[in-house]
Amino acid sequence: MTRSLIILRGLPGSGKTSLAKILSEGGKYPIFSIDDYFTNEKTGEYIFDHSKNYLAYAQCEERTIAAMGKSVEKIFLHNCFTLEWEMESYFKKAREYEYVVYVLTVENRHSGRNQHLISYEQIHKMAAKYKVILIPELNE
């Protein structure tokens, strides 16, 4: 059985969360995000606290690694991941647990609004840092 880590990356409001829910086949497969840390499980209320961002990243990574440790067939991870280094630890763990990694960039083609009250100016700053990584040919 091939195990897959599917990383959905994109700017706020692009639809990463919505797409992850669709791809997880109604919750059959786990979905992880740093947003989970800031979302009240009972009410669904999202309260972001920048000073706890590092805790959110740690929790997301811990949950992903725990799922890998259980050999879950598919794991979905959705965060902005505007910078390559933000994904590196997941790539390393995927190799360790023998997961194939797929990185999908999600674009806002549906005129959706971001749910996190991130300003248009801040999203433009994030877009300026956003990098598409080109992996060199193996035959070079």
Side-chain angles (χ1 to χ4, degrees):
M1 168 182 70
T2 300
R3 294 178 302 232
S4 303
L5 173 64
I6 298 99
I7 297 175
L8 305 174
R9 65 188 292 242
L11 298 174
S14 62
K16 299 177 299 292
T17 303
S18 298
L19 182 58
K21 289 177 182 176
I22 291 167
L23 295 174
S24 75
E25 298 178 36
K28 180 177 178 182
Y29 303 106
I31 302 170
F32 302 114
S33 170
I34 64 165
D35 290 343
D36 300 342
Y37 184 86
F38 300 109
T39 304
N40 183 309
E41 290 182 24
K42 293 179 183 176
T43 66
E45 183 181 15
Y46 180 82
I47 303 173
F48 181 74
D49 179 348
H50 189 271
S51 70
K52 295 182 179 178
N53 219 21
Y54 72 99
L55 295 171
Y57 277 97
Q59 180 191 67
C60 184
E61 188 171 333
E62 288 166 7
R63 289 179 170 181
T64 303
I65 292 168
M68 288 180 183
K70 294 177 184 173
S71 297
V72 173
E73 182 182 357
K74 296 177 190 174
I75 302 168
F76 292 91
L77 179 61
H78 64 96
N79 289 319
C80 291
F81 292 123
T82 54
L83 303 171
E84 177 75 3
W85 68 264
E86 296 171 321
M87 295 182 281
E88 285 177 4
S89 63
Y90 294 101
F91 295 152
K92 288 177 185 174
K93 286 299 179 180
R95 280 191 299 274
E96 181 181 327
Y97 286 96
E98 299 180 351
Y99 273 76
V100 175
V101 179
Y102 299 93
V103 178
L104 305 171
T105 297
V106 182
E107 296 179 354
N108 185 342
R109 302 287 178 127
H110 56 279
S111 301
R113 302 254 186 246
N114 80 79
Q115 301 295 311
H116 309 300
L117 304 176
I118 298 173
S119 71
Y120 192 67
E121 292 78 20
Q122 184 61 31
I123 290 173
H124 271 275
K125 288 178 185 177
M126 293 172 76
K129 294 188 299 185
Y130 197 92
K131 302 287 184 217
V132 174
I133 306 303
L134 299 176
I135 305 299
E137 289 291 324
L138 295 176
N139 296 330
E140 286 186 6

